[in-house]
Amino acid sequence: MKILYVAGREEAYSRTRIVLAALRNNGYEVITCLPPDKSFRHYPGLLLKTLLNAPHCDAVVVGFYGQLLMPLVRLLTWKPILFDMYITTYDTMVFDREKAKPGSLKARIYGLSDWLSYKAAKLSILDSHHVIAHFGRTIHTETSKFRRLFLAVDDSVIRPGPQRPADGQFLVHFHGEYIPFHGVRHILKAAKLLEGQGIQFQIVGKGITYAEDMQLAQELGLPHVTFLDPVPYAGLAQLMARADVCLGIFGDNARAQLVLTNKVIEAIGVGKPLITSRNAPVQELLKHEESVYLVNPADPQALAEAILRLKNDEALRTRIAANGHAVFQACCSTEKFGQRFTAILQEVMGRGRAST
């Protein structure tokens, strides 16, 4: 079987790599139409290449970021299309980046791009039933053409690694892009509450809220918190392997209620106990005090108490880490992702129905 894979992100981008590996590892021949970087200026060339190659393929997969590509790809070919939506434009621009208010004209345009893409595909993929239902409510459409596929990460890199030698300290790890739903400020406030408890923090990354978060850190005075610049993916895995606990997200905006996020999957992928905010998508995958420790969003006191509890309860820490990693292997490994992705693709081509 020959598949045409068209996406708005380059081959090195994590989601692109994972989808390509899923297709190739499951026996598909793949022709790629990919840009060298994330710039929209490459889209005309991608569409031309799609027009030339689609007739020779059995199906088309449109990957992230595809909302601008999908309706045009549909006009260029009538081969069956699977759209790996991954995240919605509406949620990103309205709830995460807050570029438009719900109900505004700009928000409606963002929603229209999602709706057109969904309608143009035979099937589309999102990462939780909660987000699929949210899409239906927000865009005012049915959702029967969605299939849930949990996030996956590259487990040739994100995997359990060498532990840090015992040094009498308890190390808490966070990495991210400092975007609003990450809630880094809540982590910093929790760190202040834990001062003098033998707990160290390493916080990796930069992004939108970095300047204001650094200002807060300076005001709080946090000698037990180390801030690190972004590192290559392999380096990130090494930093996580050194930690005793990994952190997810803690923001309280609407976007925070709609995401699993890669950092959650990466934490269970390296076999570390994870603390993150309670939301519906996370609870589709993980269970409180069994495979994750959940806290209320935007609550530094609750986060501090969770960290201290895991520090002082080795059995609980070990159980959450082991069960979380078992969930990862069952649902989020590249192998499981590939099996599920290709089952959905087979449904697109009329060869059975993937479970929802």
Side-chain angles (χ1 to χ4, degrees), residues 32-236:
T32 60
C33 296
L34 300 173
D37 55 52
K38 64 181 180 180
S39 172
F40 291 144
R41 72 176 183 273
H42 303 297
Y43 280 28
L46 297 179
L47 292 168
L48 176 60
K49 193 172 180 181
T50 297
L51 177 64
L52 295 175
N53 285 281
H56 311 295
C57 297
D58 298 290
V60 179
V61 175
V62 176
F64 182 79
Y65 175 72
Q67 276 85 336
L68 298 182
L69 292 167
M70 264 299 307
L72 296 171
V73 171
R74 176 74 288 165
L75 293 174
L76 295 176
T77 179
W78 286 101
K79 295 294 176 76
I81 300 175
L82 171 61
F83 180 32
D84 182 29
M85 187 175 287
Y86 186 42
I87 57 177
T88 70
T89 304
Y90 184 93
D91 292 339
T92 299
M93 302 306 289
V94 176
F95 295 139
D96 184 9
R97 299 185 184 178
E98 300 179 348
K99 297 296 185 181
K101 294 182 179 180
S104 67
L105 177 60
K106 284 180 69 175
R108 292 176 186 273
I109 292 171
Y110 294 139
L112 179 62
S113 72
D114 291 323
W115 179 81
L116 286 173
S117 300
Y118 171 72
K119 288 296 184 181
K122 188 168 182 179
L123 292 177
S124 294
I125 290 171
L126 284 173
D127 63 10
S128 73
H129 290 316
H130 180 80
V131 170
I132 291 170
H134 164 78
F135 182 97
R137 291 190 302 270
T138 303
I139 310 300
H140 306 292
T141 188
E142 56 79 35
T143 58
S144 63
K145 296 198 299 177
F146 272 115
R147 298 293 179 266
R148 180 184 72 174
L149 179 57
F150 287 126
L151 295 177
V153 296
D154 184 354
D155 53 14
S156 68
V157 177
I158 300 297
R159 57 186 179 182
Q163 304 295 303
R164 186 180 83 261
D167 57 7
Q169 296 292 325
F170 189 82
L171 182 61
V172 178
H173 169 93
F174 171 85
H175 66 270
E177 298 176 345
Y178 284 78
I179 48 184
F181 77 81
H182 285 175
V184 174
R185 68 186 184 277
H186 304 301
I187 298 173
L188 300 178
K189 291 176 182 178
K192 182 64 176 179
L193 294 172
L194 293 169
E195 205 167 19
Q197 298 283 349
I199 298 172
Q200 299 288 320
F201 288 76
Q202 63 182 22
I203 298 181
V204 184
K206 284 188 177 178
I208 296 171
T209 67
Y210 181 79
E212 61 187 84
D213 290 329
M214 291 304 98
Q215 179 63 37
L216 175 61
Q218 186 175 11
E219 292 170 1
L220 292 174
L222 300 170
H224 58 308
V225 179
T226 301
F227 296 95
L228 302 173
D229 288 340
V231 298
Y233 210 44
L236 179 63

